[in-house]
Amino acid sequence: EACRTLAVGGAFMIVSHLSPETEDGSEFLQNSLLPALDESSAGAAWRVDVHYAEDEDASSDVPHIYMVQKSARRRTRSKAPVEIPLALHVH
């Protein structure tokens, strides 16, 4: 719903204990977040920035920030699927 109602140029943030380095975090990105953004991408482009602390103990309670930004997509005639940029920022 957030993807549909968010204005072009807007952003939303997900705070999670799922690190993108863990199996569960990777599964969240690949099987939930990115496909949901792809489904709702009509006329929009998405960018996901993940900010997280490098942690040797994957069971840590440190929260991780998934920042999702919506922008206008360039109009093209291509039917190729659009890849959603994903940037990992280790702090």
Side-chain angles (χ1 to χ4, degrees), residues 8-78:
V8 170
F12 69 92
M13 180 179 4
I14 299 169
V15 179
S16 174
H17 287 283
L18 292 175
S19 169
E21 292 185 323
T22 65
E23 186 177 335
D24 287 341
S26 179
E27 186 174 309
F28 165 69
L29 281 168
Q30 300 304 321
N31 297 334
S32 296
L33 182 60
L34 296 177
L37 294 174
D38 188 44
E39 276 183 28
S40 64
S41 66
W46 297 98
R47 174 185 171 87
V48 179
D49 289 285
V50 184
H51 297 268
Y52 67 102
E54 190 171 41
D55 189 4
E56 294 176 10
D57 180 16
S59 65
S60 174
D61 287 334
V62 177
H64 308 284
I65 309 299
Y66 295 78
M67 188 65 140
V68 181
Q69 299 170 316
K70 184 177 186 178
S71 60
R73 184 181 349 189
R74 255 182 356 126
R75 293 190 180 266
T76 65
R77 295 180 187 205
S78 173

